[in-house]
Amino acid sequence: MGATVIDGKAFAATVRGKVAEHVTRLKADHGIIPGLAVVLVGEDPASQVYVRSKGKMTVEVGMKSVEHRLDADTSEADLLALIGRLNADPDIHGILVQLPLPKHLDEDLVINSIDPAKDVDGFHISNVGLLGTGQKSMVPCTPLGCLMMLRDYHGSLSGMDAVVIGRSNIVGKPMAQLLLGDSCTVTIAHSRTKNLAEVVKRADIVVAAVGRPQMVPGDWIKPGATVIDVGINRIDKPEGGTRLVGDVDYDSCAAVAGAITPVPGGVGPMTIACLLANTVTACCRANGLDEPEGLTA
């Protein structure tokens, strides 16, 4: 019997529906419209696709969408000045600067210039510190989406053994913090972990976020474990062209796991859904209102 497929596309649609309901209540009860500003510097094709998709979905859930598209040679001073204006704008509750930035711009400086309360990507050093110490923060969207799917599938995660493969600041480290917050026993593993297969084999939950296509085979997976595949990698097809794969070998892992996310259609759709959720959360916090239930960590 194969693994249960965790349908991220369907779950993301449910999350966006909850966001839309909360936005409707904010408008009706308080006259507030959550606002999300996205800043894109340069013309990176993938970034342009992401920004268009984010803008479209922001409008679909009833929120205010603002886009600032800047030339690739925009100076750091001009970008920081724009962020300063957005920080001061009471109608903007979330600010996202699309990464990567052109090489002449200091990403850390730019991200840390965003008001932490409006940092809906959860990358500001203050939010990183708050999350790491178990305090209320803005949570990075991809790990938040993974946590939501795990909670939905398992209910309580308390006492489960979780292994996160990958130690990035964007996914691996915050994912580990979120799982610790839900009382998992957490190991952060990576490509240099000794006996990596044995470490992964003991896990009830495996989150693969290492950025290597099909790195995790099925014989690394504990029978019945839940596998969350964060990887999005493009590989060549034998017959020509390319296809998307994750960081786990889907077929062999699905034959052993109890549940698994596919690529595409798993974690990916949850990232934008959680960006919208974070914007509503930021709006509620800014106005001293109750946070939306089920949309935060």
Side-chain angles (χ1 to χ4, degrees), residues 36-42 47-48 51 54 66-71 74 78-87 92 94-102 105 110-111 114 121:
L36 172 63
V38 177
V39 179
L40 174 63
V41 185
S47 293
Q48 288 184 323
V51 168
K54 288 167 183 172
V66 176
E67 291 182 10
H68 292 273
R69 294 174 179 264
L70 308 179
D71 293 337
T74 296
D78 285 346
L79 177 55
L80 294 177
L82 170 60
I83 292 171
R85 292 193 296 274
L86 294 172
N87 284 340
I92 297 298
I95 302 170
L96 180 149
V97 177
Q98 183 66 46
L99 303 179
L101 290 171
L105 299 173
V110 170
I111 295 303
I114 298 171
D121 254 342

Side-chain angles (χ1 to χ4, degrees), residues 157-194:
L157 306 181
S158 180
M160 299 183 76
D161 195 328
V163 170
V164 179
I165 311 173
R167 49 184 167 174
S168 73
N169 293 330
I170 294 173
V171 180
K173 291 174 184 175
M175 186 76 250
Q177 295 292 349
L178 289 172
L179 290 166
L180 280 171
D182 270 29
S183 299
C184 290
T185 299
V186 183
T187 300
I188 300 178
H190 45 80
S191 58
R192 297 188 183 183
T193 298
K194 292 183 179 180

Side-chain angles (χ1 to χ4, degrees), residues 16 52-63 269 272-273 276:
R16 292 196 305 273
R52 279 198 300 271
S53 183
K54 288 167 183 172
K56 180 173 177 285
M57 292 186 184
T58 302
V59 172
E60 285 178 353
V61 298
M63 297 198 298
I272 294 181
L276 303 176

Side-chain angles (χ1 to χ4, degrees), residues 131-249:
L131 177 62
T133 53
Q135 299 179 69
K136 185 181 289 187
S137 67
M138 299 306 301
V139 179
C141 301
T142 299
L144 178 58
C146 295
L147 182 71
M148 285 183 180
M149 290 192 290
L150 285 166
R151 285 174 171 174
D152 181 71
Y153 181 75
H154 284 287
S156 173
L157 306 181
S158 180
M160 299 183 76
D161 195 328
V163 170
V164 179
I165 311 173
R167 49 184 167 174
S168 73
N169 293 330
I170 294 173
V171 180
K173 291 174 184 175
M175 186 76 250
Q177 295 292 349
L178 289 172
L179 290 166
L180 280 171
D182 270 29
S183 299
C184 290
T185 299
V186 183
T187 300
I188 300 178
H190 45 80
S191 58
R192 297 188 183 183
T193 298
K194 292 183 179 180
N195 302 316
L196 180 57
E198 295 176 20
V199 172
V200 176
K201 185 82 171 180
R202 69 168 187 255
D204 304 307
I205 295 169
V206 177
V207 181
V210 73
R212 293 191 179 185
Q214 301 174 314
M215 174 181 165
V216 180
D219 59 9
W220 287 16
I221 302 301
K222 175 181 177 180
T226 300
V227 178
I228 305 293
D229 191 349
V230 182
I232 302 177
N233 310 285
R234 194 170 290 279
I235 64 170
D236 294 329
K237 295 191 291 187
E239 66 273 20
T242 61
R243 67 186 180 101
L244 289 177
V245 299
D247 288 352
V248 309
D249 180 64

Side-chain angles (χ1 to χ4, degrees), residues 80 106-116 123-126:
L80 294 177
D106 183 336
E107 286 190 356
D108 289 338
L109 175 65
V110 170
I111 295 303
N112 288 324
S113 72
I114 298 171
D115 180 346
F123 296 162
H124 191 289
I125 190 65
S126 294

